[in-house]
Amino acid sequence: MRYALRTGWSEDALVDLCTRHGVSRAAVDSITARVPRDGAFALVQEICAASDDDNLGLHLALEANWSIGILGVLGMSLTNVREALEICTDYLGRFNANPSTTTTFYVDEKGLPHIRLGPAPPEPAPPRHFVETIMAAGLLLLRRFTGAQIKALWVSFRHAAPADVTEHAALFGTTDLRFRAPANEFVLPTYALDLPHRTADPALAAYMRSQVDAMLEAMGGVDLAGAVRGCLREALEQGAKPSIGHVARSFKTTGRTLQRRLAEASVQFTTLLDEVRCAWAMTLLRHPDASLKEVAARVGFSDVRSLRRALKRRTGRTLTELLGHDHEDASS
């Protein structure tokens, strides 16, 4: 919308555009407001169609005053890239029920992080400029948070290649650009996950998470299991050994009440704790100097054997299979 105003659209024309597509003009400039998916796509497509800029999506991502939104503020206050991707994409999934606008994050078997936008075929893909803006802005935000010039290993797009991809290569930092691919995603080097955020602020992160949870509550309820997982991980990262009472106090309730609410959602607290311990253990074990005994103790297992059993129970794979090498030390 700011681009449209700069390039000759009047405010009245933009209000009319929003009205025709069922979007509140005021909501577009709000950090917390949400707009209809189809309306957002229509606004992007109509403004792009009126432009003679074939790489408008990339140029919008480069906007110096690009709004990071409430999840961006949360992301910048978290500890590192891994934490920001895990927590923020989890929240995005709960905000966006429609898969065409959902951003997902996963780490493949080689330890490479993938950030994916929208669904795979046969589901329809979001518009080209929308995709390129969101994907480019995501990488630019990670660079902004870390101060590191992170370069993608490769980038894939479901749409056809434009006539000139020079700007795409320059922005993403790679010439490995794949068009008409099965997914819209960019892949980062493994080291990027552990890059610390210059803007990390635990107090702000806790406050922003409470605000996002309040928004989800207003929309129809927080994902209780997801919220408990987040609380458990935070406790483990701080060196605590969380119990259901510890978590319940974070929710300002009793352990018995939390247990009942989890049971109503067909979830067991011990299962969630096991999941989080295993996930945090795998994160720690990817460090080349990690000690099995120290990791087991840090995530709350009594010994290395318990850690191994838990990982096998959760994943069906041995520790060696999970890490791709034989991770042994004198303590095992």
Side-chain angles (χ1 to χ4, degrees):
M1 301 294 270
R2 288 190 293 267
Y3 167 83
L5 285 169
R6 286 203 312 271
T7 55
W9 289 65
S10 68
E11 181 60 39
D12 287 344
L14 290 178
V15 170
D16 178 65
L17 174 68
C18 289
T19 301
R20 284 191 285 108
H21 295 297
V23 175
S24 161
R25 174 68 182 93
V28 175
D29 293 327
S30 169
I31 192 173
T32 57
R34 305 175 75 239
V35 299
R37 173 185 59 100
D38 292 342
F41 285 179
L43 295 182
V44 171
Q45 288 176 304
E46 196 160 331
I47 292 173
C48 289
S51 169
D52 57 4
D53 183 352
D54 190 44
N55 285 325
L56 179 57
L58 299 182
H59 297 157
L60 293 179
L62 289 164
E63 289 268 331
N65 59 347
W66 195 77
S67 172
I68 63 174
I70 191 167
L71 288 180
V73 176
L74 170 59
M76 66 187 287
S77 64
L78 293 168
T79 304
N80 56 27
V81 170
R82 183 191 300 273
E83 188 178 39
L85 289 174
E86 288 178 346
I87 291 175
C88 291
T89 55
D90 176 60
Y91 275 127
L92 278 169
R94 286 189 266 160
F95 273 116
N96 298 323
N98 193 297
S100 63
T101 54
T102 296
T103 301
T104 54
F105 159 67
Y106 70 95
V107 179
D108 66 21
E109 64 280 0
K110 295 180 180 179
L112 299 177
H114 294 239
I115 297 88
R116 177 173 294 185
L117 176 65
E123 294 296 321
R128 174 198 158 193
H129 291 298
F130 182 94
V131 168
E132 294 188 357
T133 297
I134 298 302
M135 288 176 58
L139 181 57
L140 290 169
L141 283 177
L142 293 180
R143 291 172 180 168
R144 176 174 165 184
F145 297 165
T146 62
Q149 190 61 23
I150 306 169
K151 296 181 179 181
L153 295 180
W154 73 83
V155 187
S156 65
F157 302 97
R158 289 184 60 184
H159 52 262
D164 186 353
V165 298
T166 304
E167 290 192 58
H168 294 71
L171 194 155
F172 286 100
T174 180
T175 56
D176 191 348
L177 304 168
R178 309 173 186 185
F179 293 91
R180 295 194 183 280
N184 295 306
E185 69 176 8
F186 61 92
V187 181
L188 300 178
T190 302
Y191 78 84
L193 289 175
D194 296 319
L195 288 173
H197 284 180
R198 298 182 301 172
T199 48
D201 185 333
L204 177 60
Y207 173 75
M208 294 308 299
R209 292 191 74 167
S210 71
Q211 296 304 298
V212 176
D213 285 340
M215 291 175 65
L216 284 167
E217 189 76 51
M219 290 166 53
V222 174
D223 174 1
L224 181 60
V228 170
R229 286 189 192 95
C231 186
L232 288 169
R233 172 153 184 155
E234 183 178 349
L236 287 174
E237 289 175 352
Q238 293 173 356
K241 294 183 178 179
S243 64
I244 192 164
H246 172 98
V247 176
R249 286 191 291 274
S250 299
F251 288 91
K252 296 182 172 58
T253 187
T254 65
R256 180 175 294 180
T257 299
L258 178 59
Q259 193 82 273
R260 176 179 53 77
R261 289 181 61 193
L262 286 169
E264 289 170 353
S266 301
V267 178
Q268 291 186 339
F269 178 79
T270 52
T271 300
L272 298 178
L273 180 57
D274 215 28
E275 288 177 9
V276 174
R277 280 175 171 168
C278 288
W280 184 227
M282 286 303 302
T283 297
L284 297 174
L285 287 169
R286 289 191 178 97
H287 192 282
D289 298 325
S291 158
L292 282 172
K293 185 175 181 180
E294 291 176 359
V295 169
R298 184 170 177 182
V299 301
F301 289 105
S302 57
D303 52 35
V304 172
R305 186 175 299 175
S306 298
L307 169 60
R308 289 183 180 277
R309 283 200 301 261
L311 288 170
K312 183 67 182 292
R313 185 169 60 247
R314 296 290 329 150
T315 68
R317 301 166 70 189
T318 67
L319 184 57
T320 300
E321 290 170 334
L322 288 168
L323 294 175
H325 59 85
D326 190 13
H327 196 305
E328 298 288 343
D329 61 21
S331 63
S332 64

